[in-house]
Amino acid sequence: MIRITQLKLPITHTEEQLHRKIAKTLHLGNQPFTYEIRKQSLDARHKEDKKFVYTVDIKLDNESRVLKKVHDKNIMLTSEKKYHFPSSGSETLSHRPVVIGSGPAGLFCAWYLAKAGYCPLVLERGEEADKRQETVENFWKNGILDPDSNVQFGEGGAGTFSDGKLNTLVKDTFGRGREVLSRFVEAGAPSEILYQQKPHLGTDQLVGIVQFMRHQIEEMGREFRFRSTVTDLMIRDRKLTAVIVNAKEEIPAEICVLAPGHSARDTFSMLYENQFPMSAKPFAVGFRVEHPQALINRSQYGAEQVKGLGAAAYKVTAKTGTGRGVYSFCMCPGGYVVNASSEPGRLAVNGMSYSGRDGQNANS
């Protein structure tokens, strides 16, 4: 297929205008073709002439002949890199693999293990997403914290109560990013996330999406258990033999995937006590800043509201005189600063947005 990059159109354009722009760029005349948007970004450098910038993939007959008619570095032949699940090993498992945690890592791990014919058991210390949502809202309203089911712990992980941003700066040479987005679309997310430069879902959509994915896994004959905290691992001859749940139940296992997120300090302490090798890694310290969304819109768009564009985002980076990097992180347009504590007597804050990003403030 043929890929065109840097295809620019006004933000008010129609599908028909995009179709005509592709035909004109490739000198196709009336030749039929199909196309798929691979990326859409916004160029707002000129406030009075804002444009969407597209990368599109086109399928048509005689692609090589068409390319001979055009001489443009932004037009090229391409092929899609699809994700392939790693091939299975040869050793037979005596017990089903155990996945500890049902955040994004655990959820996708369980989905692909189930799809490949394994029978994973997913253990999650928190609640199902809908019950967890009620628990979290009660905490925000009345200050009653459940240490095992909160903004950090529960189905979907910490991301369920976040902005649900889905972009990454990591180069995706294996097609994993699009595969993840495709799974979300299959679970009910809008198809636009497949090509938006900075796709996001929002807490209100994520609750249903993660539950849909769990039901898919369960329909493949696999099991989720909530309110099930892994409190110990049984090791014999340097091999895993069982996981201990809620300090009383022993589940035989020789394979487990640890996907506990960043706040399960009791799990990390247990691993340390069991002499699992661990090493420190650098971390950043920050604070959350909130400001009127209208201010950000004026800065980025030149107006407080622009038809066809949602709440504006931003990214800032700088270096101090000592060379230390300072940057904005987890920028939530039209979002909220929320209490994300998971331990009594300790405070953690986070930023989140709903899918509409229509709150009065932005934060990062």
Side-chain angles (χ1 to χ4, degrees):
M1 63 189 157
I2 297 174
R3 172 166 291 178
I4 306 176
T5 63
Q6 294 297 308
L7 198 65
K8 297 185 178 183
L9 284 161
I11 60 173
T12 56
H13 77 82
T14 63
E15 286 187 31
E16 176 60 26
Q17 286 173 320
L18 176 57
H19 190 277
R20 289 204 303 266
K21 180 86 170 182
I22 294 169
K24 183 178 180 180
T25 302
L26 294 178
H27 309 304
L28 295 180
N30 295 322
Q31 182 176 347
F33 65 90
T34 60
Y35 71 90
E36 181 179 5
I37 299 172
R38 301 295 294 195
K39 184 179 178 182
Q40 178 201 60
S41 59
L42 175 68
D43 183 352
R45 290 173 295 177
H46 305 287
K47 307 303 183 193
E48 303 304 318
D49 187 28
K50 293 177 282 290
K51 294 184 182 297
F52 281 129
V53 184
Y54 289 97
T55 295
V56 292
D57 287 345
I58 301 99
K59 292 183 179 179
L60 72 167
D61 295 331
N62 302 313
E63 292 174 353
S64 297
R65 187 186 304 170
V66 169
L67 278 179
K68 290 180 180 178
K69 299 179 184 178
V70 295
H71 301 282
D72 189 327
K73 65 179 181 180
N74 295 319
I75 302 173
M76 66 208 79
L77 279 175
T78 188
S79 59
E80 185 174 357
K81 178 88 175 177
K82 290 191 175 182
Y83 172 73
H84 294 286
F85 188 80
S87 56
S88 301
S90 57
E91 187 175 339
T92 302
L93 295 178
S94 301
H95 305 93
R96 55 185 172 174
V98 174
V99 178
I100 301 173
S102 67
L107 190 65
F108 276 91
C109 177
W111 197 96
Y112 284 100
L113 285 173
K115 190 72 173 176
Y118 295 91
C119 300
L121 167 64
V122 182
L123 300 174
E124 168 58 54
R125 72 191 302 163
E127 297 171 298
E128 298 94 322
D130 53 348
K131 294 180 181 177
R132 178 186 176 205
Q133 187 173 27
E134 294 178 6
T135 300
V136 168
E137 288 175 354
N138 183 46
F139 168 56
W140 287 341
K141 182 179 180 180
N142 301 312
I144 301 172
L145 174 67
D146 184 333
D148 287 318
S149 189
N150 45 61
V151 174
Q152 308 295 348
F153 302 139
E155 185 177 22
T160 301
F161 293 93
S162 185
D163 191 62
K165 284 180 280 291
L166 301 173
N167 56 302
T168 175
L169 299 179
V170 176
K171 289 194 175 182
D172 184 17
T173 56
F174 296 97
R176 293 170 178 160
R178 189 168 181 84
E179 176 69 11
V180 166
L181 297 178
S182 298
R183 296 279 72 77
F184 278 134
V185 170
E186 184 181 60
S191 59
E192 289 83 0
I193 69 170
L194 290 171
Y195 57 77
Q196 290 172 334
Q197 183 185 25
K198 295 181 179 180
H200 85 109
L201 293 171
T203 290
D204 47 332
Q205 291 190 342
L206 279 163
V207 169
I209 288 169
V210 297
Q211 288 191 127
F212 185 95
M213 291 186 67
R214 189 231 309 166
H215 294 323
Q216 283 183 315
I217 296 168
E218 290 172 333
E219 287 169 3
M220 288 187 266
R222 317 321 176 204
E223 184 182 357
F224 279 72
R225 289 175 55 180
F226 296 95
R227 292 292 189 179
S228 300
T229 304
V230 174
T231 50
D232 205 357
L233 301 176
M234 302 300 294
I235 310 293
R236 291 200 186 106
D237 299 325
R238 298 177 62 83
K239 291 184 178 181
L240 177 70
T241 61
V243 298
I244 307 299
V245 176
N246 296 334
K248 58 183 180 182
E249 182 184 2
E250 184 175 314
I251 299 176
E254 65 258 51
I255 295 291
C256 83
V257 176
L258 282 158
H262 56 54
S263 295
R265 279 182 282 277
D266 52 350
T267 303
F268 300 131
S269 296
M270 177 268 291
L271 294 171
Y272 181 76
E273 290 166 3
N274 278 297
Q275 299 183 334
F276 279 79
M278 290 189 282
S279 59
K281 61 179 289 187
F283 64 93
V285 177
F287 55 92
R288 194 157 287 278
V289 177
E290 189 175 47
H291 26 232
Q293 183 62 49
L295 177 72
I296 306 305
N297 289 355
R298 285 199 304 271
S299 172
Q300 300 293 76
Y301 298 157
E304 290 191 5
Q305 287 187 328
V306 178
K307 187 177 180 180
L309 299 179
Y314 68 81
K315 180 179 180 181
V316 294
T317 61
K319 275 198 172 182
T320 67
T322 62
R324 183 179 293 277
V326 182
Y327 57 95
S328 59
F329 176 74
C330 189
M331 194 274 157
C332 301
Y336 306 88
V337 177
V338 297
N339 189 333
S341 298
S342 59
E343 297 173 282
R346 298 189 182 221
L347 177 65
V349 296
N350 194 20
M352 60 165 275
S353 295
Y354 294 110
S355 58
R357 286 180 164 175
D358 52 4
Q360 290 188 344
N361 294 318
N363 67 79
S364 67

